[in-house]
Every structure is written in structure tokens, then in C-alpha cells.
Amino acid sequence: MTGDFRVSVLRLGHRRERDKRITSHLGLTARAFGADEVILAGEDDDSALETWNSVSERFGGALECRFEPKPMSWLRRFADSGTVIHLTMYGEPWREVTSQIPKDKPTVIVVGGTKVPAEVFSIANHNISIGNQPHSEVAALGVFMESWIGPIEESTKFAGGEIEVVPSERGKKVVNREED
Ligand code: SAM
């Protein structure tokens, strides 16, 4: 891992009504598994950005999030200097290829919602499947990020929040930093 390594997640094809919850969960999953940025594309939706910002405020970290009106132009430009990973059921098996993907420069993980433009398959440096059955962008992202980035619980990624969860066998234990 080098200093230039940074992970963005690009969520293509968001539909404001139909995808509200799954897009919200996708951004939270991206954050929890170590993404630095979530980029929303498709229909603009302040409520998704508000949810992600509010969770970061309460639970810490510096997740950036924004809406991108021209995701394909953005992706083409990004590919000039960064790594593009596309999660798709048609891609190569994650267990065989994930360990070979370098962590040496800005990287974007692209996930779809509605039909993904065919060009994404050719722009991507890696088209990766989490099994070859159709399931969910949230599941695909969680499995991929955990296998590629590894555990992040011990890192400083979530510093500065109001609340920190203390893992416990039963019940809910938290440290409320606002009271410090
Ligand atoms: N109908 C869409 C299409 O034609 O691509 C797929 C919809 S699927 C519910 C939404 C997204 O979940 C996909 O674009 C992909 O990023 C992700 N996904 C679903 N199953 C996957 C799998 N087996 N492996 C990797 N990603 C997957």
C-alpha cells in the first residue's frame, strides 16, 4: 500500500425512489469497509448524501461523498491515472484475482444498479465477480472490500466521531465522546 492509495466507490444508475435504501446501505458499507469516497450517479438524491454524512459525524471518519452528473466522462478521465475495478457477475472470480490487484494508486470500485453501460467493461482494469450468480451490489461490495483491503477496525479511519462502539458479548456498549 502506498501514500497515493485511495478508494472511491462509484454507484451508477441510482433511482431516487426505487433504490433509496439500497443506495444508502451501499454507501454505509463502502464507509465501513474502508472507502475514502462515495460517488453517486444516476438521479441526484440529497437524502443519500445526508445519511452518509450524518453517520460519519456520529461514528467518525472523513468519508467524502458527492453527486456526479457525468459519471462516464468522470470514469474515462479517472482511468488515465487510476485503477478501475468493476464488480459484475460476469467478471473473473474474486478469489483468484483480488490478491493481484495492487494498492498503489487511486482506485475506484464501480457498482451498478440498473443496466451498466457496456463501456464500463472495457474501461475497467479488472472486471470481478463475487460468484457468477446475480445478487446485490451491497453484498458484492462488502465481500470484495473485505477480501482486498482487509480488516480496518484497528485503523484510525473512524477517528473523531461522537460515538464509538465497544464490542461486547451482549448488549450495546458505546463510548459517547461528546461527554468527554
Ligand atoms: N441488471 C444489472 C446489469 O445488467 O448489470 C445488474 C443489477 S445488480 C442487482 C446490481 C449490481 O450488483 C451490479 O451492477 C454489480 O455491480 C453487482 N453485482 C450483482 N451480482 C454480482 C456478482 N455476482 N458479482 C459481482 N457483482 C455483482
Side-chain angles (χ1 to χ4, degrees):
M1 215 179 278
T2 71
D4 289 339
F5 183 58
R6 175 183 154 81
V7 177
S8 303
V9 171
L10 172 61
R11 197 286 188 262
L12 292 176
H14 172 68
R15 295 158 293 186
R16 204 177 294 113
E17 293 312 317
R18 194 173 156 177
D19 295 331
K20 205 171 257 314
R21 274 173 64 80
I22 197 153
T23 295
S24 165
H25 291 177
L26 184 81
L28 296 182
T29 300
R31 173 185 172 276
F33 286 87
D36 299 289
E37 180 182 33
V38 180
I39 302 169
L40 180 66
E43 294 178 4
D44 198 354
D45 189 350
D46 285 346
S47 75
L49 305 182
E50 280 161 17
T51 300
W52 302 335
N53 283 330
S54 140
V55 168
S56 290
E57 226 166 82
R58 283 187 294 139
F59 291 90
L63 181 79
E64 292 171 23
C65 46
R66 65 182 179 85
F67 176 72
E68 172 54 59
K70 294 188 173 165
M72 292 308 294
S73 311
W74 179 85
L75 196 58
R76 281 181 215 114
R77 281 197 310 277
F78 185 94
D80 289 342
S81 55
T83 301
V84 178
I85 298 170
H86 172 214
L87 299 183
T88 166
M89 62 187 273
Y90 304 101
E92 297 184 282
W94 61 281
R95 284 196 185 85
E96 291 171 24
V97 293
T98 301
S99 61
Q100 297 154 29
I101 303 175
K103 301 187 194 80
D104 59 353
K105 53 181 161 178
T107 299
V108 64
I109 305 171
V110 184
V111 296
T114 51
K115 198 166 165 42
V116 172
E119 190 188 350
V120 174
F121 286 81
S122 54
I123 294 178
N125 303 96
H126 308 275
N127 289 290
I128 306 230
S129 62
I130 312 296
N132 298 113
Q133 300 301 316
H135 49 82
S136 146
E137 50 270 52
V138 178
L141 184 69
V143 169
F144 175 73
M145 289 189 74
E146 167 70 14
S147 73
W148 187 48
I149 296 175
I152 59 161
E153 286 81 3
E154 304 297 318
S155 78
T156 54
K157 196 113 205 174
F158 302 117
E162 295 163 6
I163 296 168
E164 187 179 330
V165 173
V166 182
S168 61
E169 194 181 349
R170 285 194 186 79
K172 300 180 184 176
K173 279 195 196 149
V174 296
V175 175
N176 195 331
R177 301 219 172 280
E178 280 191 316
E179 291 165 2
D180 285 354

